[in-house]
Amino acid sequence: MSNNLISLEFYKQIKKINSTTEDAAISSIISSVSDYVKTYLGRTLNAYLTTPKVEYFKGDKAKYYLSEFPVISINSVELFEGNSYTPLVTDEDYYLDEELDAICTVSSKAFSNIPYNNRIKITYLGGYNSIPGEIALAVVDLVTYYHKSEYVQNKQVGGTDSIQLAIPEYKLPKHITRVLEMYRQGFAF
């Protein structure tokens, strides 16, 4: 099971469902909707709380926004020089802008004058210990949408139905889009 954004128990509590007859179907939909929301957001929200996330950047900027925010801690920031990565020093070479969840150079100049892919390597922990309530409720609404059979159902393969979560962005309900946009990677306030 992937890191679902809500549990079956949470869904059933919100929707006031006491029966267990639909548990398997609802659990499957929760998993699919969780994956869909994470893809839409461009981040996992809860997968890098204890397992470090590694991101690479060109090195030609003075600020790099990390994808798994909020940032919990920075394990290392390294600059590729020649044949290997050299660790940079916190508060001497870079700092974490906690408001923006970004790594910034102390000098406000680019990390490197010679940009190329994977020049900067940042290893960190980030995400939410508890999924924000508005995201959880948006997931509940999407699960309900699919549970009420308002989705495209594929043909039966091997005796099981599979659910296709192919909603174009513009087809998401507006209230869900508004909530998800606040947490989307690259979203500017």
Side-chain angles (χ1 to χ4, degrees):
M1 182 171 98
S2 66
N3 283 339
N4 289 333
L5 299 178
I6 63 169
S7 66
L8 174 63
E9 294 74 25
F10 178 81
Y11 179 82
K12 289 174 70 172
Q13 179 184 5
I14 295 294
K15 301 308 276 181
K16 298 181 178 21
I17 298 172
N18 295 320
S19 170
T20 59
T21 56
E22 295 290 320
D23 283 5
I26 294 170
S27 291
S28 177
I29 295 168
I30 288 171
S31 181
S32 295
V33 166
S34 292
D35 289 344
Y36 176 82
V37 167
K38 290 175 189 182
T39 299
Y40 180 87
L41 295 177
R43 52 192 274 215
T44 66
L45 300 171
N46 61 358
Y48 297 101
L49 298 171
T50 57
T51 303
K53 168 82 171 172
V54 178
E55 290 189 61
Y56 295 90
F57 301 94
K58 283 187 174 183
D60 58 343
K61 294 185 169 83
K63 185 180 296 181
Y64 289 100
Y65 296 93
L66 302 174
S67 64
E68 294 296 330
F69 50 92
V71 173
I72 297 168
S73 66
I74 301 295
N75 297 19
S76 66
V77 176
E78 301 170 86
L79 176 65
F80 189 80
E81 295 181 310
N83 296 327
S84 63
Y85 284 96
T86 302
L88 299 178
V89 180
T90 308
D91 296 329
E92 190 175 307
D93 297 316
Y94 74 91
Y95 67 95
L96 171 64
D97 182 328
E98 294 179 12
E99 193 172 308
L100 298 175
D101 291 306
I103 294 293
C104 306
T105 62
V106 171
S107 67
S108 297
K109 295 181 181 174
F111 279 97
S112 171
N113 292 331
I114 308 167
Y116 58 85
N117 290 339
N118 300 336
R119 179 95 177 174
I120 299 291
K121 177 182 176 184
I122 302 173
T123 306
Y124 67 99
L125 299 176
Y128 294 97
N129 286 315
S130 298
I131 299 301
E134 56 270 19
I135 290 181
L137 291 177
V139 171
V140 167
D141 284 352
L142 282 173
V143 169
T144 300
Y145 174 80
Y146 285 108
H147 187 243
K148 289 183 175 181
S149 300
E150 297 171 355
Y151 57 85
V152 178
Q153 188 166 350
N154 291 332
K155 293 182 179 180
Q156 247 188 1
V157 179
T160 60
D161 289 335
S162 62
I163 299 169
Q164 179 184 9
L165 297 181
I167 310 173
E169 290 178 24
Y170 61 87
K171 295 283 187 179
L172 281 172
K174 288 181 181 179
H175 70 288
I176 293 174
T177 302
R178 279 192 295 272
V179 167
L180 295 181
E181 284 298 316
M182 291 189 307
Y183 292 89
R184 197 168 191 178
Q185 183 180 1
F187 180 76
F189 290 95

